[in-house]
Each structure stands twice: as C-alpha cells, then as structure tokens.
Amino acid sequence: MKARFSFGWALLAALFTFSACDESTEDLGSSLTNLHDQLNVSNQVFQVTSRSVSAGSVWARSNVSYLGCVKDPETGGYVTSHFMTQFYMLEDEQFSQDAAYVTHDEDGNIVADSCEIRLFYKTYYGDPLATMKLGIYELDHPMTEDQHYESDFDPFAEGYIRSGGIEKQVTYTLINYTDDDRDDDDYADNICIKLNDPYTDKNGVTYSNYGTYVLRTFESHPEYFKNTMMFMHHVVPGFYITHKGGIGSMVQVLYPQLNVFFHSNKDGEETDLLLKFSGTEEVLQSCMVVNDESTINDMVADNSCTYLKTPTGIFTELTLPVDEIFTNHDKDTINSASLSLTRLNNTEHDQWSFNVPSTLLMVEKDSLYNFFDKRSLADNKQSYLSSYSSALNSYTYSNISGLVRHMAIAKQEGLRTNPNWLSEHPNWNKVVVVPIVPSYRTYTDSYGRSYQVLIGVTHDMSLGFTRLCGGSTPIELSVIYSKFKE
C-alpha cells in the first residue's frame, strides 16, 4: 500500500471541534463546503498495546538534588539518593575587605573563624524527625559540561573523590531544634555540615579549617576568584554528598551553600564577615539513585497494568498501530489522533504515599536517550507533553497525528532503500512515556500580556509512583479522518 500523507485542513479540523454536539458528521462536509467541494469526515478507534519497561540509568543533571532513603508504602521498595554539587562565583566578584585588618594567627597568617556547608531545602518526604546520616567527600576535580552523568554514576569508581581530602559523616534530622538561627525571621530549613577540622590541601599545606584555606587562597591568588570556572578548577572543585544511614526521609535540596565566617578589627571596631558560595542552576548538580532492583523487576513483569515510577524506576512503553491507521485510508487526511492514559488508584493509602507524576513526555523509544542528551524540547510533532488531570484521573494526548505520520513516512522511506529495515528498526512504531520536569520562562509582549515558553525538560528525580490502565488491556487511540467526496 502506498500511503498518501496530507498535512492540510488544520483550520477545518479546528472548526469541527467547535461544531454543535448534535450535528452529525455526514452534515459537516456540506455545512462547510459547497456542493462541488464536499468533505467526508470519519472516526475510527484503534488499540494500543502497552507494557512497563525498566528505566535503568538516566541523565541525572537537574536544578535540584535529593538526599536520603525511604520505603515506598505502595511497593515496599527502597529508594536511596545522593548527589554531587559545585559552587557558583559571580563574574569578577572581589572581596572588598582589606586583608590587613582581617584576623590573623600568631604567625601573621589570615584565618577564618569557621566554615560550613548548608543544604537548604523547601520540601521533603517522610518523617522530619527521622535520624539520618550523610557522608561528605571533597571532589578531586570539578564536573564538566561534556561529561554525561547518569543516575548510576559512581564518583569513587570514576576517580572523582580526592585522596586525602575532606571525608566525614554527619548525623542529622530535617527539623533541627538545636539550630540557634531557627528563631530568625529569615530562617530557611537546612542541613548543616561543619567544616572546622584541620584541612590539608593538595600541596600538603595544613590550615586550621576549610574556610582558612579559602581565605588564604584568595590572599595569594585573587585571580582564582575571577569567575566560576577559575574558582572550581583552582579552589573548590565541589563535593559528593551521599546517604550513609537511616531510613525515613528524603529531602529535596534546592541549593547547597558554602559559608566562610571571619571578622576584622579595623580602627578598634570588630566586624563579623561572611563569604557565600552557592550551588545554583548556573553550575552542575547531578543526582545518583539506587532503587530496589527486585521490586522494579516484579513490577515490570506485572501485565495487569503499566507503571510509572521515579526516580529512574519504570517507564511505560506504547506500540502505536501505525499500519492499521493507514489501511484503507491512503487517500485520507489524518486530522487528529488522540489517546488518554487512565490512572489506577493506589491499593495502599498512606500519608507517605509517593506523589503522582505531574507531567509526562511521549517520545519515540529509539530517540529517548538523544532527547535528553541534546537537551531537546517537546515540539508537538515527534514529542509531546501531557499534564495529569485530577478531575479526569488521566493524562491526555489530544493530537499525536504528526507522530503517527512521521512513523509511517519513516517506514515507507526505509523500506524503499533497505528491505531489512524493519528487522533493523524493531522499535519503529514504539514510544515511551516518561515522567519529566518542564522548565518555563515567562515573557511579556508589547501589549503587557504574559506568556510562558518551554525552555527545558529534565527527568523527574523526585519520588513519584502511579499505575496506568494497560498491559493486558489495550488502550484506545481515536483517529479522525477527512477527504473530499469523489
């Protein structure tokens, strides 16, 4: 069959959508065209097969990081998360304090009073009073933009941890009643890691604490503080913060902050000073996740439904009936192709149940890796976004006709030049549905109207879980065709 692919009639399709509900499709053609130019409009429903697939490792770059270990009350599986982070230096920022008046030791060397890293957070999962333990390790060198950091990346195995650098463990609870700053009006929840032990740099020089190392490095090499790249490569390459013990809480770290406290005594007046270096979206952060593999395998084998589980847990794969859609419709235009993924309610109801994924990406299975590797955006042609509707308890893709046409054309062109194309492209009509986090930027036009533009799509690394209708039960794909009456 030689299919004819028409891309017109978008306007007519839109008019059909707004037609009266009691108007029959037989009358639509004559109501919109004259007797010499009539349309036939028809609808057909096809079956889509689905299954769960293990996500494996995914590209783990994100604007936020996660730390902790929790048990999913729905599946009984454990999820553990760690992360690497770097710190941001404003371009050409210089420390204005006169070093001559900053506190010095008995040998005349500048010293810091103390140093710390605070992991600021806004949301968390689980019990905020659960006793947890983290480990912090100094990186030997910074992360780089050209390195692909997957969610199973091991900083120790890959040589990222500095031998002889900072290495310590800290016990914490998310609510810290011993923090003296809790009563401050501008207090923000955080986990505090003190870096006040003696520190030895790569040159074998020992300092009273890590903050003293930072101050003296600035005193001797202010050029290292010119920008973030210089700062990361010559002063603070970053840290790996890993879960070490405890079960019951997972925190979403909005940003880590390195604080160096010191003071000056100029003209007899003592002044407390603070240097801040934050881990923001301008620098790399990468999350590492460990899931309960046996639980993942059991869910993938379950054919009563399909699953979506984050972070890096399970995706849902759909096989689109592309050949069937074009059978006996080679002269028709596909105006729309829509489907809904209906959610099944949890079998367990618990205050700690994981969130339902809020946004899903539909993308061709063989393009999944490159989509995130190239930082692509959903284009509503070969990739689509859908948000969860609590009212409908489902995710709806209102029109994926562009994707269906693309798949049919790819098959047609492939077989024209390669008779083995189908065996070499077994996923040609398969898509994967993936929980993601979209990023938008708000713009204002000349009339003062605001609108949002999609600027980023990253894997959802938060705790999420839901079941979808599918598996042994097919999903319905509704297609609307149109063609001129002959």
Side-chain angles (χ1 to χ4, degrees):
M1 177 185 71
K2 181 177 180 181
R4 175 181 171 223
F5 305 100
S6 174
F7 297 92
W9 300 106
L11 176 59
L12 291 180
L15 291 174
F16 298 152
T17 302
F18 292 102
S19 297
C21 295
D22 59 353
E23 187 175 9
S24 67
T25 57
E26 288 79 12
D27 295 329
L28 282 175
S30 59
S31 66
L32 295 173
T33 62
N34 58 42
L35 294 177
H36 301 287
D37 189 20
Q38 293 185 352
L39 279 176
N40 275 331
V41 178
S42 61
N43 173 268
Q44 193 168 346
V45 176
F46 301 91
Q47 292 187 339
V48 175
T49 59
S50 64
R51 70 185 185 107
S52 300
V53 293
S54 175
S57 61
V58 301
W59 193 29
R61 179 170 181 175
S62 176
N63 293 338
V64 295
S65 300
Y66 295 85
L67 177 69
C69 178
V70 295
K71 181 180 181 180
D72 181 357
E74 180 75 13
T75 67
Y78 292 91
V79 183
T80 306
S81 187
H82 330 271
F83 69 96
M84 289 194 299
T85 186
Q86 298 175 155
F87 294 95
Y88 180 66
M89 163 69 68
L90 291 175
E91 191 79 14
D92 290 323
E93 180 178 290
Q94 297 293 320
F95 304 151
S96 60
Q97 303 302 325
D98 191 334
Y101 297 99
V102 175
T103 304
H104 291 67
D105 62 16
E106 60 275 9
D107 296 323
N109 298 312
I110 193 172
V111 294
D113 299 327
S114 63
C115 184
E116 66 185 18
I117 289 177
R118 290 190 180 255
L119 309 178
F120 288 97
Y121 65 91
K122 187 174 183 180
T123 59
Y124 62 86
Y125 169 92
D127 183 0
L129 297 179
T131 301
M132 310 293 285
K133 182 184 289 186
L134 63 81
I136 180 169
Y137 302 88
E138 182 185 1
L139 297 185
D140 177 78
H141 52 277
M143 294 180 281
T144 59
E145 290 284 350
D146 58 354
Q147 171 72 42
H148 198 100
Y149 297 97
E150 300 275 334
S151 55
D152 61 354
F153 186 84
D154 186 343
F156 285 94
E158 298 296 331
Y160 270 70
I161 304 302
R162 182 196 155 200
S163 177
I166 291 175
E167 178 180 333
K168 67 181 300 184
Q169 297 185 8
V170 177
T171 300
Y172 68 94
T173 58
L174 294 184
I175 295 180
N176 182 9
Y177 290 109
T178 64
D179 193 336
D180 296 334
D181 297 328
R182 283 195 65 84
D183 295 331
D184 294 348
D185 292 337
D186 59 350
Y187 180 82
D189 288 321
N190 66 87
I191 301 168
C192 184
I193 306 169
K194 299 292 186 181
L195 301 180
N196 293 328
D197 297 324
Y199 171 76
T200 302
D201 67 12
K202 291 182 178 181
N203 296 319
V205 180
T206 299
Y207 306 86
S208 59
N209 57 47
Y210 193 71
T212 298
Y213 155 74
V214 173
L215 290 181
R216 291 190 192 172
T217 303
F218 172 72
E219 189 177 34
S220 57
H221 292 284
E223 69 276 12
Y224 292 169
F225 292 72
K226 178 178 176 58
N227 54 46
T228 298
M229 290 300 294
M230 293 288 288
F231 182 70
M232 290 190 303
H233 283 276
H234 296 285
V235 188
V236 181
F239 291 88
Y240 176 47
I241 300 176
T242 177
H243 173 75
K244 280 294 186 180
I247 299 174
S249 73
M250 179 82 74
V251 63
Q252 182 191 71
V253 180
L254 290 179
Y255 65 94
Q257 183 170 286
L258 172 64
N259 296 325
V260 179
F261 298 90
F262 59 107
H263 64 274
S264 68
N265 190 357
K266 187 175 183 179
D267 300 327
E269 182 178 348
E270 190 168 289
T271 304
D272 292 329
L273 304 171
L274 168 64
L275 297 179
K276 298 179 182 179
F277 307 93
S278 295
T280 65
E281 62 183 14
E282 286 85 358
V283 293
L284 289 176
Q285 296 186 58
S286 185
C287 206
M288 293 80 192
V289 178
V290 178
N291 275 299
D292 189 329
E293 187 173 348
S294 62
T295 302
I296 297 292
N297 292 338
D298 288 344
M299 287 190 287
V300 168
D302 180 8
N303 196 39
S304 65
C305 62
T306 67
Y307 293 89
L308 296 172
K309 180 171 171 47
T310 60
T312 71
I314 300 177
F315 302 151
T316 287
E317 176 189 290
L318 307 177
T319 301
L320 302 181
V322 178
D323 286 338
E324 292 88 336
I325 290 173
F326 285 97
T327 299
N328 299 323
H329 290 283
D330 54 308
K331 295 182 179 180
D332 294 355
T333 296
I334 299 178
N335 296 105
S336 71
S338 61
L339 62 83
S340 291
L341 304 176
T342 302
R343 176 178 173 264
L344 296 171
N345 293 329
N346 289 0
T347 58
E348 299 290 334
H349 299 281
D350 190 284
Q351 63 173 327
W352 305 126
S353 294
F354 289 1
N355 292 328
V356 177
S358 61
T359 308
L360 303 183
L361 166 74
M362 177 186 289
V363 64
E364 292 175 281
K365 184 175 182 179
D366 285 344
S367 300
L368 175 63
Y369 186 90
N370 282 338
F371 183 92
F372 290 96
D373 186 41
K374 296 180 179 179
R375 304 183 190 181
S376 301
L377 300 176
D379 58 9
N380 291 322
K381 296 177 182 178
Q382 293 173 233
S383 53
Y384 301 80
L385 297 184
S386 177
S387 298
Y388 173 65
S389 168
S390 58
L392 301 176
N393 201 30
S394 65
Y395 306 85
T396 298
Y397 292 91
S398 59
N399 191 359
I400 59 169
S401 58
L403 177 61
V404 173
R405 286 193 293 267
H406 165 75
M407 288 178 166
I409 293 173
K411 177 187 175 183
Q412 187 179 61
E413 295 300 321
L415 289 175
R416 182 176 298 163
T417 58
N418 180 8
N420 299 319
W421 187 87
L422 281 177
S423 61
E424 295 173 2
H425 297 82
N427 300 322
W428 72 275
N429 61 343
K430 292 178 173 59
V431 296
V432 181
V433 177
V434 180
I436 59 94
V437 175
S439 298
Y440 295 92
R441 181 170 294 160
T442 301
Y443 294 91
T444 303
D445 63 19
S446 58
Y447 296 98
R449 296 172 298 192
S450 297
Y451 60 97
Q452 289 188 319
V453 175
L454 182 69
I455 61 170
V457 173
T458 59
H459 281 284
D460 187 348
M461 302 301 289
S462 67
L463 296 170
F465 172 85
T466 197
R467 297 179 301 141
L468 301 175
C469 292
S472 57
T473 304
I475 300 167
E476 291 189 345
L477 173 67
S478 178
V479 178
I480 296 177
Y481 303 92
S482 65
K483 70 175 180 179
F484 286 113
K485 290 182 179 180
E486 298 180 353

